[in-house]
Amino acid sequence: EYGEWTSVQAHAFAARLLAPAGLEAHTNYLRAFAIDTDILRALGVRFILTDEETVEKPAILRRSLAVRGALGVNLFELENVNLGTYSPTRFVKAATADAAVKQIRENKSRLDQVAVVPDDIPSTTAQARNVVMTIERDGVRIQAASDGPAHILVPIQFSHCLVVVNGAAARLSRANLFQTLLSFDGTVDARIEFHFGLFADNKCRIRDGLDNKSLGLPISQ
């Protein structure tokens, strides 16, 4: 989803992993110029509408439309999409955006197992199971179980303004440059909201800006 809260990290991710090298995109728009199904599946993209006739697997052609005098369009459905169902067990540390992009590219076929993070996170043998992600008014609810410390790659944009509001024993952190990693142990039923506004503690946005600086990105777009 594009809006005023689309982050500098999201633009950096799209420009470096979903666009030809050297392409300068307008910062008012967040666009994918290259179809990389491994990357898109990790972001939670399930359908692709394109004038391309083929898309790399795993993708299924669902429908085509041809109109005389115009480019035809094809609707592809991707398989094994991250709907909060990617539970990485291995973590690769990358302190800058350039290093993160390099590691994401090198591990793109294993993003359901490997996540790129800015801080040290120990590997685990447990994966989240029975994961249910529900979009609720003003927030997202994540329910899951595991046999030990586990992590869920949540397909929403990370910010320090994301808050677990119902007291669930879950921790939120950054993964894959701009995604959210939810960490828990045993069971979790967490409601996540974005808290920012006139009467909120807005220091979280300063922390987001400092993250951009440490990642080697512009503080604002």
Side-chain angles (χ1 to χ4, degrees), residues 5 138 156-165 172 174 180 191-197 200-209 211:
W5 292 108
D138 298 327
I156 60 175
Q157 178 176 258
F158 176 77
S159 168
H160 290 286
C161 297
L162 291 177
V163 180
V164 177
V165 297
L172 305 177
R174 182 185 305 280
T180 300
R191 178 176 166 82
I192 304 169
E193 295 181 0
F194 183 83
H195 280 197
F196 178 81
D201 181 1
N202 297 325
K203 296 184 182 67
C204 56
R205 293 299 288 168
I206 296 176
R207 294 178 65 193
D208 287 346
D211 276 4

Side-chain angles (χ1 to χ4, degrees), residues 24-213:
E24 293 187 10
H26 199 292
T27 55
N28 282 357
Y29 304 96
L30 184 65
R31 292 178 174 171
F33 292 90
I35 300 175
D36 189 318
T37 57
D38 287 329
I39 299 294
L40 292 174
R41 288 186 302 131
L43 298 182
V45 175
R46 183 176 174 186
F47 292 100
I48 300 173
L49 187 65
T50 176
D51 58 357
E52 294 285 344
E53 295 184 357
T54 60
V55 171
E56 63 183 13
K57 294 181 179 181
I60 302 170
L61 178 63
R62 291 301 188 192
R63 193 69 58 88
S64 296
L65 177 65
V67 178
R68 183 177 298 177
L71 285 173
V73 292
N74 300 299
L75 178 67
F76 294 92
E77 182 178 2
L78 303 184
E79 297 181 321
N80 188 28
V81 172
N82 178 24
L83 304 179
T85 47
Y86 279 19
S87 182
T89 57
R90 293 178 48 230
F91 300 92
V92 180
K93 185 176 178 180
T96 66
D98 288 340
V101 166
K102 180 176 181 293
Q103 291 295 340
I104 293 169
R105 189 176 286 118
E106 290 180 358
N107 291 282
K108 69 174 188 171
S109 64
R110 301 185 296 274
L111 293 177
D112 57 338
Q113 306 167 43
V114 180
V116 181
V117 294
D119 301 306
D120 291 316
I121 297 181
S123 297
T124 180
T125 58
Q127 285 188 300
R129 64 177 188 277
N130 303 328
V131 180
V132 177
M133 182 179 73
T134 307
I135 306 300
E136 300 180 340
R137 183 171 181 175
D138 298 327
V140 178
R141 184 180 180 185
I142 305 290
Q143 299 167 286
S146 72
D147 295 322
H151 310 270
I152 297 172
L153 184 65
V154 184
I156 60 175
Q157 178 176 258
F158 176 77
S159 168
H160 290 286
C161 297
L162 291 177
V163 180
V164 177
V165 297
N166 64 344
R171 184 173 65 88
L172 305 177
S173 57
R174 182 185 305 280
N176 295 348
L177 188 58
F178 86 112
Q179 291 184 285
T180 300
L181 189 73
L182 182 148
S183 303
F184 70 102
D185 190 343
T187 61
V188 68
D189 184 352
R191 178 176 166 82
I192 304 169
E193 295 181 0
F194 183 83
H195 280 197
F196 178 81
L198 183 60
F199 300 108
D201 181 1
N202 297 325
K203 296 184 182 67
C204 56
R205 293 299 288 168
I206 296 176
R207 294 178 65 193
D208 287 346
L210 292 174
D211 276 4
N212 289 341
K213 186 175 181 180

Side-chain angles (χ1 to χ4, degrees), residues 2-19:
Y2 179 76
E4 293 300 322
W5 292 108
T6 304
S7 67
V8 174
Q9 298 101 356
H11 280 280
F13 186 101
R16 302 179 193 200
L17 290 165
L18 294 171

